[in-house]
Amino acid sequence: MELKRTNHKIIAGALLMGLAVALGAMGAHALEKVLTPKNLATFKTGVHYQMLHAFGLIFLGILDKLYRDKFKIETALFTLGIILFSFNCYIYSLTNIKVFAMLIPIGGVTFIMGWLSLGLRFFKISRNYEDLSS
């Protein structure tokens, strides 16, 4: 009997996706009246990128099952990106404290590194399959 392991990436992605939906609703309804248009746009950008990368975590969880790989680097980069980019978008839009705005680009770079790492991993995986079939 095969022991099924819990896929924490899918759970984390689903929870972060639910949080993004809740924050998006809060931004659309409650914050629309209190934030400047620029700050509201920053808040919505944080929600948008959180949704994309929470879905990315779910995607990585599915890839774990298909390729029996852990995708730990990509998972860490997407998670760190959500914290550094999205969460700092939220905090900055609500407080206007500049230090939070300065962290946002670091989160963006973290997202980019996660996607590049995923692309390179699949390049290596495809090379390994080609080597096996030759």
Side-chain angles (χ1 to χ4, degrees), residues 84-100:
L84 291 174
F85 186 93
S86 295
F87 288 11
N88 282 303
C89 281
Y90 306 143
I91 296 168
Y92 175 66
S93 68
L94 294 169
T95 66
N96 282 319
I97 298 172
K98 295 286 184 199
V99 71
F100 296 109

Side-chain angles (χ1 to χ4, degrees), residues 4-14 52-76 78-79 115 118 121-122:
K4 296 189 186 238
R5 61 183 171 86
T6 302
N7 195 312
H8 299 289
K9 290 174 194 65
I10 295 174
I11 294 167
L52 290 173
H53 291 87
F55 183 74
L57 289 172
I58 294 168
F59 179 64
L60 290 174
I62 294 167
L63 291 175
D64 274 355
K65 301 288 186 183
L66 294 173
Y67 289 95
R68 299 187 192 282
D69 202 325
K70 300 292 184 224
F71 295 94
K72 287 181 180 178
I73 293 170
E74 297 82 3
T75 300
F78 284 2
T79 304
W115 288 110
L118 183 61
R121 183 179 302 267
F122 270 94

Side-chain angles (χ1 to χ4, degrees), residues 81 84-85 102-111:
L84 291 174
F85 186 93
M102 294 175 4
L103 294 172
I104 292 169
I106 298 169
V109 169
T110 307
F111 285 146

